[in-house]
Amino acid sequence: MRLAARSLESQIAQRALFTALMMVACWSQKACSSDSRAVEEDPDRDGVSTARELESGTDPQDPSSAPQWQPQWSEHPRLLFDAEQWSRIKAAILDGEPGFAPYYDRLEADGERPFEPHSTPEFQPQTNERNSRTVLGAAVTLAVKEERSALDHLLQVLGQMRTDVSSLSTDDLDKATIHTSKALINLCEAYDLLEGMGMLSSDARTRFRESIRSLAAEQRAFYEQGLGQAVLLLTQNNHNIKVASGLAIVGMTLNELPEAAAYVNYGLMDAWYFLTQYQCPPGGGQAEGPAYLAYSALNYLPAFWAYHRFARGESFPYKVDCTHRSGDCHQEILEFADPITTPVMRQIHRWWHRIAMPDGYGANIEDSNLNCFFSGTVAAMFDDPVMAWRDSALPDCNGHAGGIEMLRLATAHSIPEPRRPQHTQADFLVEAGQAVFRSSWSQDAIWGLLIAEHDIARVRGFGHEQPDASSFIVAAFGEYLLIDSGYISFTERSRVANAENHNLVLVDGQGPPTSPIGLGADADAWLDDTFSREDLAGASATTGWVGCEVIRDVVFSRKSLFMVADRVLCPAGSHDFCLLWHTHAGGTTSGELVMEADGFSVIRDRARIDACVGAAGDEPRLTHFEAEHAMHHSSPETHEVFQACTAGGSAAFLSAILPVAASGISPAARVVHSAPDAVAVVVEDGEAIEWFGVTRGRGPMAFASDGTLRSIATDARSAFVRLSVDGRTVKDFQLTGGTYLEYDGRSVK
């Protein structure tokens, strides 16, 4: 790690020189009065004058070195709301307003829980966080109902909470980063509220402040060096964001302490860096996946909101702290914008929204189970009416604020009027690595997600990356039908985080690289050949493994069906190729898998998928087997996986995926072969004939006439053709990797 900090000797010399110059100025200009410029100037803008910094021995040029941080920001409550705003919130709670009462009720219930002792001599961060929730809940209850019993219970729990972070077991090294930082946020929010309401005696105030200060100091000291530092140098993800956010909140709460400036500098700069630069690809996204973005938001949202209430859109200088940054790092002073005012924050949150499933859940890709985001709170913080729509319009995740109820209460009055997003049938997030197809923004929409991550989006997923290059998942009519296997939990992720747990093609049983904890997992993949017009859209994912080139082409036609072409080209030898489709059927699910001669059906209560599957060359071997998945944390289930296998030097598979409502009728679909290297599917529904073909060779493909379908020839690797019902007229077409198309012997392109 490269450090660019000035040496201590240099700092001392600069201070001495500055002091001498000030003395000369005083003697020559008689400018030594208490209101002189020397007393007033504050070059590092930390709220402490140069004269005060020189007196205390801190560096007036370094915003992380100060005897206090912004001491003029002194009124409580201030972190999430001021006293006037709290009075409005309290009135809404007491009036039982639906935008407030449910969140207060959860906090009140938390505040009634008894103290939970640690079950082992070691420090248990999860237990500590739960106790901090009790303290926060009791504080809110006290502030709303003014019951003395709530204060007594709060102080009893607070007095027994442990702060000895260094005594944790090695099994909890990573957990303390997560849970201790959240405990700090809970305690700070509780203290800020009660101090502002004048509800703490001098003794209670001292105990509260010392508990926060001691826990923060213990965490900071433990993770600054040795094994603790190694943990955060390894993770570079949500752990870093959480630790930084927690310490930033402490610095803003107890800002008169000498460590406050260092906490705020480290906290703001690291939370911002890991969230918006290290984990975020250009244009928005999060390498760890949507669930871990939401997990990080538990901490960064209250931290950034509290800072926004100080900064009010203004930029300030802060110093980079390299303690937990791997690679090249410079301890330089940078101008830091108020995060709430920056476009990248909106891009990150909109990324979660853009790839979300129709029913409101975040997609369970990477290390994610089905997850909810804090859409209403984000809508208020960033004045985003689309996120307000997401918060209120969809059945799952409606009003979600689990873990940030205080911030939801603080911002509930500011949620803007919801605005339904403008519909686009395809959304291509090239740098984030997803192509999203969506028939509408309705909860009953047909939705598909193609994964093609590379660079930041893949490599920096790190411990939470899964080998899912080119995987494709589908939901429709309120049902999740072709699924990702999810996550279960970090300790059990290996059960569902392998290549065979995703919808892709295996070569000799292998897919993108897998690792036990996600390190070095997956293969780079790129979205290309994207298009969207009227009622036709598509994209390709180009990737490869075990020396073979793998290309998946997806077409979304008439906002109602998907056609998926897979081509695998290997340099030499014969291989076994198996196409996998993980279904939300069979096993412990409530769905049914029906195997057909040329595909399969997934039948669930509200919808079904009929899939027609073919392969170039010999007929594929169609089988199925049971595998694990998880929709929710620590809740593994089983399901059936459809498998189509073939052998040879290369392979081409084609799948027509036809979602319909439970009461609907699927269009007719059939497989058409062209010996020896190409295969096509034909779909007819009385409105059009749709043909989709793919070749496993490098030359052109040609198909003879077949009923109403006339001959087709093209040099494309895959081609889509839409025809009139009688098969005479080409209505639309799309070539991928080709230059010409002939139909019935006539040139179309």
Side-chain angles (χ1 to χ4, degrees), residues 288-292 364-369 463-466 486-487 489-490 493 497 517-518:
E288 291 186 285
Y292 272 99
N364 63 334
I365 59 174
E366 304 305 349
D367 275 4
S368 296
N369 299 304
H464 295 299
E465 182 66 24
Q466 293 201 13
Y487 176 42
S489 67
F490 188 72
R493 67 184 302 278
I517 57 171

Side-chain angles (χ1 to χ4, degrees), residues 276-333:
T276 68
Q277 297 175 52
Y278 193 86
Q279 283 283 321
C280 180
Q286 203 73 178
E288 291 186 285
Y292 272 99
L293 173 63
Y295 199 40
S296 298
L298 284 167
N299 291 40
Y300 76 73
L301 286 178
F304 286 168
W305 182 248
Y307 181 72
H308 170 68
R309 289 183 47 76
F310 160 74
R312 304 291 181 180
E314 191 174 350
S315 296
F316 286 84
Y318 290 99
K319 187 176 183 179
V320 173
D321 186 323
C322 294
T323 305
H324 297 134
R325 299 196 190 185
S326 61
D328 194 30
C329 179
H330 302 270
Q331 286 190 296
E332 56 190 334
I333 296 173

Side-chain angles (χ1 to χ4, degrees), residues 54-78:
L54 291 173
E55 179 184 343
S56 65
T58 57
D59 187 346
Q61 303 293 330
D62 181 352
S64 70
S65 172
Q68 298 172 307
W69 179 78
Q70 306 296 347
Q72 77 282 3
W73 199 38
S74 57
E75 293 295 321
H76 291 279
R78 61 171 178 250

Side-chain angles (χ1 to χ4, degrees), residues 120-278:
T120 67
E122 292 84 11
F123 179 81
Q124 295 177 313
Q126 289 159 298
T127 301
N128 230 40
E129 184 192 340
R130 287 192 290 271
N131 284 326
S132 76
R133 282 279 298 181
T134 301
V135 170
L136 176 59
V140 177
T141 303
L142 174 62
V144 171
K145 294 187 174 180
E146 301 182 15
E147 295 177 350
R148 174 73 193 191
S149 59
L151 178 60
D152 293 340
H153 183 50
L154 178 158
L155 294 175
Q156 183 263 334
V157 174
L158 183 69
Q160 297 182 78
M161 284 185 64
R162 291 173 58 176
T163 62
D164 54 329
V165 176
S166 60
S167 70
L168 57 82
S169 71
T170 54
D171 290 340
D172 284 338
L173 283 173
D174 61 330
K175 295 184 181 67
T177 63
I178 296 168
H179 299 288
T180 303
S181 57
K182 187 59 177 173
L184 288 170
I185 292 173
N186 291 338
L187 294 179
C188 286
E189 290 178 354
Y191 171 79
D192 181 57
L193 174 60
L194 296 184
E195 176 70 358
M197 296 298 101
M199 292 180 166
L200 295 175
S201 66
S202 176
D203 178 63
R205 180 183 303 109
T206 299
R207 291 165 59 188
F208 224 133
R209 292 165 58 83
E210 186 53 37
S211 293
I212 295 170
R213 187 180 189 183
S214 177
L215 185 59
E218 279 272 335
Q219 185 184 45
R220 179 64 169 159
F222 182 77
Y223 285 101
E224 267 190 329
Q225 58 188 344
L227 194 56
Q229 183 186 25
V231 169
L232 290 176
L233 284 172
L234 176 67
T235 54
Q236 306 287 282
N237 57 16
N238 71 90
H239 295 266
N240 302 68
I241 296 168
K242 284 174 171 288
V243 168
S245 299
L247 289 175
I249 284 274
V250 172
M252 287 184 277
T253 305
L254 307 180
N255 61 329
E256 73 284 1
L257 296 179
E259 62 265 36
Y263 284 172
V264 172
N265 274 259
Y266 162 76
L268 291 177
M269 297 300 278
D270 262 30
W272 175 260
Y273 169 73
F274 286 108
L275 176 67
T276 68
Q277 297 175 52
Y278 193 86

Side-chain angles (χ1 to χ4, degrees), residues 575-597:
H575 305 274
D576 290 321
F577 304 95
C578 288
L579 167 67
L580 305 181
W581 289 114
H582 289 258
T583 74
H584 200 189
T588 59
T589 74
S590 59
E592 179 185 2
L593 174 67
V594 178
M595 295 293 290
E596 307 286 357

Side-chain angles (χ1 to χ4, degrees), residues 472 482 503 552 564 579-583 600 641-642 655 657:
F472 184 63
L482 297 180
N503 298 323
R552 168 164 280 178
V564 181
L579 167 67
L580 305 181
W581 289 114
H582 289 258
T583 74
F600 64 95
V641 184
F642 170 85
S655 305
I657 299 171

